[in-house]
Amino acid sequence: MSTTMPMHTMPSSAAVLQQQIRLLWLSRSPLSVIGLLSGPMLAAAGVMAYFGQDVGLMILQLLPAVTFTGAAWGVILWREEGPSRRTYHWTLPYPAARHDVMRVAAGAVWLLLAVAGYVAVGAMIAVLFGDGGAIGRALPLLLPHLFFAPLTLYVLAAALSTVSDRPLEWLVFLYLGAAVL
């Protein structure tokens, strides 16, 4: 009588990524990145409309906020789940390091979707306020920056959050160090 245990196949990276995207949605974490993007946009649109300024080009003026949203999302992604609290990853049927990478990739998907929504809503606001031509000319030049800048900071912050239990403190320290230099 053979007492061999059945071998389970390791799930594919695509399946793990799909599950991570789903798990992030179930945790409602992507709502924080959507809120980080929509809050400044709505506030800026209201203030600019009140003072009679060009609301359509608000997408351009909020590029720093969009960029730093990527860094904030990189930290939020692993909030309260630093490396010392991720020992359950060792029990999963997928290598723990690749599991972490798939979670970061899933977070990138949500970030890119949130930025795409930000751009779409900003373009609609521009059209509603009669600035569709200006934003139509600027958007093709702006799109790479709107997606690449927050994604770059997201990857750096997520990498730091993946290996550190205190990523926010490290980000502040790195920022202050760069400012001093």
Side-chain angles (χ1 to χ4, degrees):
M1 173 179 233
S2 174
T3 60
T4 60
M5 294 181 63
M7 298 298 281
H8 296 285
T9 60
M10 185 169 57
S12 69
S13 295
V16 173
L17 177 62
Q18 183 180 19
Q19 285 300 317
Q20 282 297 324
I21 291 170
R22 183 180 154 281
L23 287 172
L24 282 176
W25 177 251
L26 292 175
S27 74
R28 300 293 184 240
S29 293
L31 296 176
S32 60
V33 74
I34 292 167
L36 285 170
L37 286 173
S38 62
M41 180 178 18
L42 294 175
V47 168
M48 293 170 82
Y50 180 77
F51 289 110
Q53 294 179 348
D54 188 10
V55 177
L57 296 177
M58 149 184 77
I59 293 176
L60 297 171
Q61 296 165 343
L62 291 178
L63 185 59
V66 173
T67 301
F68 287 109
T69 296
W73 177 233
V75 173
I76 291 170
L77 182 69
W78 291 106
R79 184 183 57 224
E80 297 179 16
E81 201 173 334
S84 64
R85 295 185 179 182
R86 274 187 257 140
T87 54
Y88 71 91
H89 285 188
W90 300 341
T91 64
L92 299 173
Y94 198 72
R98 283 197 273 174
H99 178 77
D100 293 348
V101 169
M102 288 297 121
R103 181 168 176 153
V104 170
V109 168
W110 281 113
L111 176 65
L112 293 176
L113 287 172
V115 170
Y118 168 82
V119 170
V121 170
M124 284 190 285
I125 290 172
V127 170
L128 288 174
F129 280 90
D131 300 326
I135 203 67
R137 288 186 299 278
L139 208 51
L141 299 172
L142 187 63
L143 278 178
H145 302 290
L146 276 168
F147 287 98
F148 185 70
L151 189 60
T152 301
L153 281 183
Y154 164 75
V155 168
L156 293 173
L160 183 62
S161 297
T162 302
V163 298
S164 171
D165 280 327
R166 303 182 76 124
L168 191 57
E169 288 87 348
W170 276 102
L171 285 174
V172 169
F173 174 75
L174 291 172
Y175 174 76
L176 291 176
V180 168
L181 290 175

